[in-house]
Amino acid sequence: MTESADTIDVLVVDDDFMVARVHRTFVERVAPFRVVGTAHTGEQAIEAVDALRPDLVLLDLYLPDLFGLDVIPRLRTAGHDCDVMVITAAREADAVRGAVRQGVVDYLLKPFDYEDLQPRLERYATQRGRLLTTVVRGQADVDRVLAGAFAPPAGGALPKGLSVETAQLVERALREADGTVSAAEAATAIGISRVSARRYLEYFHATGHADVSLRYGTAGRPERRYSRRA
């Protein structure tokens, strides 16, 4: 496992060759991530981790030879401390609980698109950077690391390019929506561009204040629908 903060090496594990290729493309669009290999079975994943020493494994659970969660203890027994992000269609509560007990850094349900994976990778990169550079002088330092990127920014600060005023308008559109709202619908309701509305909605999703679902039509990409998390 590399200790450089400049590059985060990733192994993509999925039994479907085409899906693995798509996920590889998604990952390589996010700096500073770099895919160093792919695997399509549990045994291949274990061998690849041993050979490539990735920092992060994107792990499917439904593999042809092993259940994905059974791969993790074998990696630990072999002395590998790579992080694991589960990417799977497994919606069973037992799978989610098992993943949590195994210490996975995230759990993303298929099908998903780039906009679902990107903020999770960015949160992971931020948290990993904190873990590598933190100096623990007391409990406050420990709490800060554990909260990491999974907590809203301190003091309500927003990422560069986002304003508090517009965020409040988008949040109101979420709150007043009858069920879910798309970026286009939110943009029309508050008078901003669809691209801007989506940036705010994705920010709320990334910080845990909104949920995302996909609505499939007869053609084209599925529509992302947002709802305010209670």
Side-chain angles (χ1 to χ4, degrees), residues 106 116 119-120 123 147-153 171 174 200-212 226-230:
D106 213 328
D116 293 307
R120 295 170 187 273
R123 289 202 304 268
F150 300 97
E171 192 276 334
L174 270 175
Y200 285 92
L201 290 167
E202 287 295 333
Y203 166 74
F204 287 135
H205 175 48
T207 55
H209 292 79
D211 292 317
V212 174
Y226 303 83
S227 60
R228 186 169 177 266
R229 183 173 296 178

Side-chain angles (χ1 to χ4, degrees), residues 44-97:
Q44 286 180 8
I46 294 167
E47 292 173 2
V49 169
D50 189 54
L52 301 172
R53 303 299 175 104
D55 302 300
L56 176 67
V57 177
L58 266 59
L59 180 66
D60 188 14
L61 296 189
Y62 293 142
L63 300 172
D65 57 341
L66 296 170
F67 187 55
L69 292 183
D70 294 331
V71 171
I72 301 175
R74 290 184 57 178
L75 294 177
R76 302 305 180 225
T77 299
H80 299 300
D81 61 353
C82 53
D83 293 317
V84 176
M85 180 182 297
V86 169
I87 48 173
T88 181
R91 290 169 166 78
E92 297 84 1
D94 285 346
V96 177
R97 285 193 293 267

Side-chain angles (χ1 to χ4, degrees), residues 55-226:
D55 302 300
L56 176 67
V57 177
L58 266 59
L59 180 66
D60 188 14
L61 296 189
Y62 293 142
L63 300 172
D65 57 341
L66 296 170
F67 187 55
L69 292 183
D70 294 331
V71 171
I72 301 175
R74 290 184 57 178
L75 294 177
R76 302 305 180 225
T77 299
H80 299 300
D81 61 353
C82 53
D83 293 317
V84 176
M85 180 182 297
V86 169
I87 48 173
T88 181
R91 290 169 166 78
E92 297 84 1
D94 285 346
V96 177
R97 285 193 293 267
V100 171
R101 285 194 294 269
Q102 296 278 15
V104 304
V105 299
D106 213 328
Y107 193 109
L108 180 58
L109 288 174
K110 297 178 181 178
F112 60 86
D113 57 21
Y114 172 73
E115 287 78 8
D116 293 307
L117 182 61
Q118 177 193 16
R120 295 170 187 273
L121 290 176
E122 290 175 344
R123 289 202 304 268
Y124 167 76
T126 300
Q127 177 73 341
R128 180 174 181 273
R130 287 193 175 98
L131 289 171
L132 291 177
T133 60
T134 192
V135 175
V136 177
R137 300 182 181 88
Q139 186 63 49
D141 297 314
V142 175
D143 293 342
R144 190 177 303 111
V145 171
L146 291 178
F150 300 97
L158 292 169
K160 184 177 180 180
L162 303 187
S163 73
V164 173
E165 294 78 11
T166 305
Q168 291 172 344
L169 291 174
V170 176
E171 192 276 334
R172 187 178 68 186
L174 270 175
R175 187 174 62 250
E176 296 177 351
D178 183 15
T180 63
V181 63
S182 69
E185 291 166 351
T188 300
I190 62 180
I192 61 175
S193 72
R194 182 189 63 81
V195 173
S196 293
R198 179 159 181 158
R199 286 191 64 199
Y200 285 92
L201 290 167
E202 287 295 333
Y203 166 74
F204 287 135
H205 175 48
T207 55
H209 292 79
D211 292 317
V212 174
S213 58
L214 300 180
R215 176 181 293 176
Y216 291 85
T218 56
R221 296 179 61 187
E223 180 184 51
R224 291 173 69 79
R225 309 284 304 183
Y226 303 83

